[in-house]
Short mmCIF file of all heavy atoms in Angstrom, two decimals:
data_model
loop_
_atom_site.label_atom_id
_atom_site.label_comp_id
_atom_site.label_asym_id
_atom_site.label_seq_id
_atom_site.Cartn_x
_atom_site.Cartn_y
_atom_site.Cartn_z
N GLY B 10 11.59 -3.47 -8.57
CA GLY B 10 12.06 -3.76 -7.22
C GLY B 10 11.06 -3.55 -6.10
O GLY B 10 11.36 -3.82 -4.93
N ALA B 11 9.87 -3.04 -6.41
CA ALA B 11 8.85 -2.83 -5.37
C ALA B 11 8.49 -4.15 -4.70
O ALA B 11 8.31 -5.16 -5.39
CB ALA B 11 7.61 -2.19 -5.98
N ARG B 12 8.40 -4.12 -3.37
CA ARG B 12 8.02 -5.33 -2.63
C ARG B 12 6.77 -5.10 -1.78
O ARG B 12 6.39 -5.96 -1.00
CB ARG B 12 9.20 -5.80 -1.75
CG ARG B 12 10.35 -6.41 -2.55
CD ARG B 12 9.91 -7.66 -3.29
NE ARG B 12 10.91 -8.18 -4.23
CZ ARG B 12 10.94 -7.90 -5.53
NH1 ARG B 12 10.03 -7.09 -6.05
NH2 ARG B 12 11.87 -8.42 -6.31
N THR B 13 6.17 -3.92 -1.94
CA THR B 13 4.88 -3.65 -1.31
C THR B 13 4.03 -2.88 -2.33
O THR B 13 4.50 -1.91 -2.92
CB THR B 13 5.02 -2.79 -0.03
OG1 THR B 13 6.01 -3.38 0.81
CG2 THR B 13 3.70 -2.71 0.72
N ILE B 14 2.79 -3.33 -2.50
CA ILE B 14 1.85 -2.67 -3.41
C ILE B 14 0.63 -2.24 -2.61
O ILE B 14 -0.01 -3.07 -1.95
CB ILE B 14 1.40 -3.61 -4.55
CG1 ILE B 14 2.60 -4.20 -5.30
CG2 ILE B 14 0.44 -2.88 -5.50
CD1 ILE B 14 3.47 -3.19 -6.03
N VAL B 15 0.31 -0.95 -2.65
CA VAL B 15 -0.91 -0.44 -2.02
C VAL B 15 -1.86 -0.05 -3.14
O VAL B 15 -1.52 0.78 -3.99
CB VAL B 15 -0.63 0.78 -1.11
CG1 VAL B 15 -1.92 1.28 -0.49
CG2 VAL B 15 0.38 0.42 -0.02
N SER B 16 -3.05 -0.68 -3.17
CA SER B 16 -4.00 -0.40 -4.24
C SER B 16 -5.42 -0.55 -3.72
O SER B 16 -5.64 -0.86 -2.55
CB SER B 16 -3.77 -1.35 -5.42
OG SER B 16 -4.26 -2.65 -5.09
N ASN B 17 -6.39 -0.34 -4.62
CA ASN B 17 -7.80 -0.52 -4.25
C ASN B 17 -8.28 -1.94 -4.55
O ASN B 17 -9.46 -2.25 -4.44
CB ASN B 17 -8.68 0.50 -4.97
CG ASN B 17 -8.60 0.37 -6.49
OD1 ASN B 17 -7.87 -0.47 -7.02
ND2 ASN B 17 -9.33 1.21 -7.20
N LYS B 18 -7.36 -2.83 -4.92
CA LYS B 18 -7.73 -4.23 -5.20
C LYS B 18 -8.10 -4.94 -3.89
O LYS B 18 -7.57 -4.62 -2.82
CB LYS B 18 -6.57 -4.96 -5.87
CG LYS B 18 -6.33 -4.49 -7.32
CD LYS B 18 -5.32 -5.39 -8.00
CE LYS B 18 -5.26 -5.08 -9.50
NZ LYS B 18 -4.39 -6.04 -10.21
N LYS B 19 -8.98 -5.93 -3.98
CA LYS B 19 -9.51 -6.60 -2.79
C LYS B 19 -8.46 -7.45 -2.06
O LYS B 19 -8.48 -7.55 -0.84
CB LYS B 19 -10.72 -7.47 -3.15
CG LYS B 19 -11.96 -6.66 -3.50
CD LYS B 19 -13.13 -7.58 -3.81
CE LYS B 19 -14.38 -6.74 -4.16
NZ LYS B 19 -15.54 -7.63 -4.47
N PHE B 20 -7.55 -8.06 -2.80
CA PHE B 20 -6.61 -9.01 -2.20
C PHE B 20 -5.63 -8.32 -1.24
O PHE B 20 -5.08 -7.27 -1.54
CB PHE B 20 -5.83 -9.73 -3.29
CG PHE B 20 -4.76 -10.64 -2.76
CD1 PHE B 20 -5.08 -11.86 -2.17
CD2 PHE B 20 -3.42 -10.27 -2.82
CE1 PHE B 20 -4.09 -12.70 -1.66
CE2 PHE B 20 -2.43 -11.10 -2.31
CZ PHE B 20 -2.76 -12.32 -1.73
N GLU B 21 -5.42 -8.95 -0.07
CA GLU B 21 -4.38 -8.52 0.87
C GLU B 21 -3.55 -9.74 1.26
O GLU B 21 -4.10 -10.80 1.54
CB GLU B 21 -4.98 -7.91 2.14
CG GLU B 21 -5.33 -6.45 2.01
CD GLU B 21 -5.30 -5.71 3.35
OE1 GLU B 21 -5.51 -6.35 4.39
OE2 GLU B 21 -5.07 -4.50 3.32
N GLY B 22 -2.25 -9.57 1.26
CA GLY B 22 -1.37 -10.67 1.65
C GLY B 22 -0.17 -10.76 0.72
O GLY B 22 0.09 -9.85 -0.08
N PHE B 23 0.57 -11.87 0.83
CA PHE B 23 1.78 -12.04 0.04
C PHE B 23 1.53 -12.87 -1.22
O PHE B 23 0.78 -13.84 -1.21
CB PHE B 23 2.85 -12.75 0.88
CG PHE B 23 3.51 -11.85 1.89
CD1 PHE B 23 3.08 -11.85 3.21
CD2 PHE B 23 4.56 -11.02 1.51
CE1 PHE B 23 3.69 -11.03 4.15
CE2 PHE B 23 5.16 -10.19 2.44
CZ PHE B 23 4.73 -10.20 3.77
N LYS B 24 2.16 -12.42 -2.30
CA LYS B 24 2.23 -13.19 -3.55
C LYS B 24 3.67 -13.06 -4.04
O LYS B 24 4.13 -11.94 -4.31
CB LYS B 24 1.29 -12.59 -4.61
CG LYS B 24 -0.10 -13.16 -4.63
CD LYS B 24 -0.84 -12.58 -5.85
CE LYS B 24 -2.34 -12.81 -5.74
NZ LYS B 24 -3.06 -12.13 -6.84
N LYS B 25 4.37 -14.20 -4.12
CA LYS B 25 5.75 -14.20 -4.61
C LYS B 25 6.61 -13.16 -3.88
O LYS B 25 7.29 -12.33 -4.51
CB LYS B 25 5.79 -13.95 -6.12
CG LYS B 25 5.10 -15.05 -6.92
CD LYS B 25 5.17 -14.76 -8.41
CE LYS B 25 4.45 -15.86 -9.20
NZ LYS B 25 4.45 -15.58 -10.65
N LYS B 26 6.51 -13.16 -2.55
CA LYS B 26 7.29 -12.29 -1.65
C LYS B 26 6.93 -10.80 -1.77
O LYS B 26 7.62 -9.94 -1.22
CB LYS B 26 8.79 -12.47 -1.89
CG LYS B 26 9.29 -13.88 -1.56
CD LYS B 26 10.79 -13.97 -1.75
CE LYS B 26 11.26 -15.39 -1.42
NZ LYS B 26 12.73 -15.54 -1.60
N VAL B 27 5.87 -10.48 -2.49
CA VAL B 27 5.39 -9.10 -2.59
C VAL B 27 4.15 -8.97 -1.71
O VAL B 27 3.22 -9.77 -1.82
CB VAL B 27 5.05 -8.71 -4.05
CG1 VAL B 27 4.45 -7.31 -4.11
CG2 VAL B 27 6.30 -8.81 -4.92
N LEU B 28 4.15 -7.95 -0.83
CA LEU B 28 3.01 -7.71 0.05
C LEU B 28 2.01 -6.79 -0.64
O LEU B 28 2.36 -5.69 -1.07
CB LEU B 28 3.47 -7.08 1.36
CG LEU B 28 2.37 -6.67 2.35
CD1 LEU B 28 1.52 -7.87 2.78
CD2 LEU B 28 2.96 -5.95 3.56
N TYR B 29 0.76 -7.25 -0.73
CA TYR B 29 -0.32 -6.43 -1.30
C TYR B 29 -1.20 -5.92 -0.15
O TYR B 29 -1.67 -6.71 0.67
CB TYR B 29 -1.16 -7.25 -2.27
CG TYR B 29 -0.45 -7.61 -3.56
CD1 TYR B 29 0.44 -8.67 -3.59
CD2 TYR B 29 -0.67 -6.89 -4.72
CE1 TYR B 29 1.11 -9.01 -4.76
CE2 TYR B 29 -0.02 -7.22 -5.90
CZ TYR B 29 0.87 -8.27 -5.91
OH TYR B 29 1.53 -8.59 -7.09
N LEU B 30 -1.42 -4.61 -0.10
CA LEU B 30 -2.29 -4.01 0.92
C LEU B 30 -3.41 -3.26 0.22
O LEU B 30 -3.19 -2.62 -0.83
CB LEU B 30 -1.49 -3.04 1.80
CG LEU B 30 -0.38 -3.66 2.65
CD1 LEU B 30 0.40 -2.56 3.37
CD2 LEU B 30 -0.95 -4.65 3.65
N ARG B 31 -4.60 -3.31 0.81
CA ARG B 31 -5.76 -2.65 0.21
C ARG B 31 -6.07 -1.33 0.92
O ARG B 31 -5.97 -1.24 2.14
CB ARG B 31 -6.99 -3.57 0.30
CG ARG B 31 -8.17 -3.02 -0.48
CD ARG B 31 -9.41 -3.85 -0.24
NE ARG B 31 -10.52 -3.32 -1.03
CZ ARG B 31 -11.79 -3.49 -0.71
NH1 ARG B 31 -12.12 -4.17 0.37
NH2 ARG B 31 -12.74 -2.99 -1.47
N SER B 32 -6.43 -0.32 0.14
CA SER B 32 -6.86 0.96 0.71
C SER B 32 -8.00 1.53 -0.14
O SER B 32 -7.94 1.50 -1.36
CB SER B 32 -5.69 1.96 0.73
OG SER B 32 -6.14 3.24 1.14
N LYS B 33 -9.01 2.07 0.54
CA LYS B 33 -10.12 2.72 -0.17
C LYS B 33 -9.70 4.06 -0.73
O LYS B 33 -10.28 4.56 -1.70
CB LYS B 33 -11.32 2.88 0.77
CG LYS B 33 -12.00 1.58 1.15
CD LYS B 33 -13.19 1.83 2.07
CE LYS B 33 -13.87 0.53 2.46
NZ LYS B 33 -15.00 0.76 3.40
N ASN B 34 -8.71 4.69 -0.09
CA ASN B 34 -8.22 5.99 -0.56
C ASN B 34 -6.69 5.94 -0.57
O ASN B 34 -6.03 6.29 0.41
CB ASN B 34 -8.73 7.10 0.35
CG ASN B 34 -8.45 8.50 -0.23
OD1 ASN B 34 -7.53 8.67 -1.04
ND2 ASN B 34 -9.24 9.48 0.18
N VAL B 35 -6.15 5.51 -1.70
CA VAL B 35 -4.70 5.31 -1.82
C VAL B 35 -3.96 6.65 -1.72
O VAL B 35 -2.90 6.74 -1.10
CB VAL B 35 -4.35 4.59 -3.14
CG1 VAL B 35 -2.84 4.42 -3.29
CG2 VAL B 35 -5.04 3.23 -3.20
N ARG B 36 -4.54 7.70 -2.31
CA ARG B 36 -3.91 9.03 -2.26
C ARG B 36 -3.73 9.50 -0.81
O ARG B 36 -2.68 10.01 -0.43
CB ARG B 36 -4.76 10.06 -3.01
CG ARG B 36 -4.76 9.93 -4.52
CD ARG B 36 -5.56 11.08 -5.11
NE ARG B 36 -5.74 10.97 -6.54
CZ ARG B 36 -4.87 11.38 -7.45
NH1 ARG B 36 -3.71 11.88 -7.07
NH2 ARG B 36 -5.14 11.28 -8.75
N LYS B 37 -4.79 9.35 -0.02
CA LYS B 37 -4.77 9.80 1.37
C LYS B 37 -3.73 9.02 2.17
O LYS B 37 -2.96 9.61 2.95
CB LYS B 37 -6.16 9.63 1.99
CG LYS B 37 -6.37 10.33 3.32
CD LYS B 37 -7.84 10.22 3.72
CE LYS B 37 -8.21 11.13 4.88
NZ LYS B 37 -7.56 10.76 6.14
N LEU B 38 -3.68 7.72 1.97
CA LEU B 38 -2.72 6.88 2.69
C LEU B 38 -1.29 7.23 2.28
O LEU B 38 -0.38 7.25 3.12
CB LEU B 38 -3.01 5.40 2.42
CG LEU B 38 -2.14 4.40 3.19
CD1 LEU B 38 -2.24 4.62 4.70
CD2 LEU B 38 -2.53 2.97 2.84
N LEU B 39 -1.08 7.52 0.99
CA LEU B 39 0.25 7.95 0.53
C LEU B 39 0.70 9.20 1.28
O LEU B 39 1.82 9.27 1.79
CB LEU B 39 0.22 8.22 -0.98
CG LEU B 39 1.45 8.95 -1.56
CD1 LEU B 39 2.71 8.11 -1.42
CD2 LEU B 39 1.23 9.32 -3.02
N ALA B 40 -0.18 10.21 1.35
CA ALA B 40 0.17 11.47 2.01
C ALA B 40 0.46 11.25 3.49
O ALA B 40 1.48 11.70 4.01
CB ALA B 40 -0.96 12.48 1.83
N GLU B 41 -0.43 10.54 4.15
CA GLU B 41 -0.25 10.30 5.59
C GLU B 41 1.05 9.55 5.87
O GLU B 41 1.75 9.84 6.85
CB GLU B 41 -1.45 9.53 6.14
CG GLU B 41 -2.73 10.36 6.18
CD GLU B 41 -3.98 9.56 6.49
OE1 GLU B 41 -3.93 8.31 6.42
OE2 GLU B 41 -5.01 10.18 6.79
N THR B 42 1.38 8.59 5.01
CA THR B 42 2.61 7.82 5.18
C THR B 42 3.84 8.68 4.92
O THR B 42 4.83 8.63 5.66
CB THR B 42 2.62 6.59 4.26
OG1 THR B 42 1.41 5.85 4.43
CG2 THR B 42 3.80 5.68 4.55
N ALA B 43 3.78 9.50 3.86
CA ALA B 43 4.92 10.36 3.51
C ALA B 43 5.27 11.31 4.65
O ALA B 43 6.44 11.49 4.99
CB ALA B 43 4.60 11.16 2.24
N TYR B 44 4.23 11.92 5.27
CA TYR B 44 4.50 12.88 6.35
C TYR B 44 4.93 12.20 7.64
O TYR B 44 5.47 12.84 8.54
CB TYR B 44 3.28 13.78 6.58
CG TYR B 44 2.94 14.62 5.37
CD1 TYR B 44 1.68 14.53 4.76
CD2 TYR B 44 3.87 15.49 4.81
CE1 TYR B 44 1.38 15.28 3.63
CE2 TYR B 44 3.58 16.23 3.69
CZ TYR B 44 2.33 16.13 3.10
OH TYR B 44 2.04 16.87 1.98
N LYS B 45 4.73 10.86 7.73
CA LYS B 45 5.28 10.10 8.86
C LYS B 45 6.73 9.71 8.60
O LYS B 45 7.57 9.76 9.49
CB LYS B 45 4.45 8.83 9.10
CG LYS B 45 3.09 9.07 9.74
CD LYS B 45 2.32 7.75 9.86
CE LYS B 45 0.91 7.96 10.36
NZ LYS B 45 0.12 6.71 10.36
N VAL B 46 7.03 9.30 7.36
CA VAL B 46 8.39 8.91 7.01
C VAL B 46 9.33 10.11 7.10
O VAL B 46 10.40 10.04 7.71
CB VAL B 46 8.43 8.28 5.60
CG1 VAL B 46 9.88 8.09 5.12
CG2 VAL B 46 7.70 6.95 5.59
N PHE B 47 8.93 11.22 6.48
CA PHE B 47 9.70 12.47 6.59
C PHE B 47 9.02 13.32 7.67
O PHE B 47 8.23 14.21 7.39
CB PHE B 47 9.72 13.20 5.24
CG PHE B 47 10.34 12.38 4.14
CD1 PHE B 47 9.54 11.66 3.28
CD2 PHE B 47 11.71 12.32 3.98
CE1 PHE B 47 10.10 10.89 2.26
CE2 PHE B 47 12.28 11.55 2.98
CZ PHE B 47 11.48 10.83 2.12
N ASN B 48 9.33 12.98 8.91
CA ASN B 48 8.51 13.49 10.02
C ASN B 48 8.98 14.81 10.63
O ASN B 48 8.34 15.33 11.53
CB ASN B 48 8.40 12.42 11.12
CG ASN B 48 9.76 12.04 11.69
OD1 ASN B 48 10.78 12.49 11.22
ND2 ASN B 48 9.75 11.18 12.70
#
């Protein structure tokens, strides 16, 4: 059911209604996002 993928892959954009986002440091982005969501 995931509709957003954050990875170190180069591609950014939509494929089959799934949004792909690129990050050089996925762990760091996960933490920063988690502390914003549960703020």
Side-chain angles (χ1 to χ4, degrees):
R12 288 298 172 264
T13 310
I14 306 296
V15 179
S16 74
N17 61 359
K18 289 189 170 186
K19 289 182 180 180
F20 175 75
E21 275 206 333
F23 283 98
K24 269 186 195 174
K25 297 180 181 178
K26 296 183 180 179
V27 176
L28 175 61
Y29 290 80
L30 296 175
R31 188 187 181 205
S32 174
K33 290 181 180 178
N34 190 336
V35 178
R36 288 184 186 276
K37 193 173 192 294
L38 184 57
L39 168 64
E41 290 170 347
T42 308
Y44 297 121
K45 286 177 186 175
V46 170
F47 300 97
N48 60 355

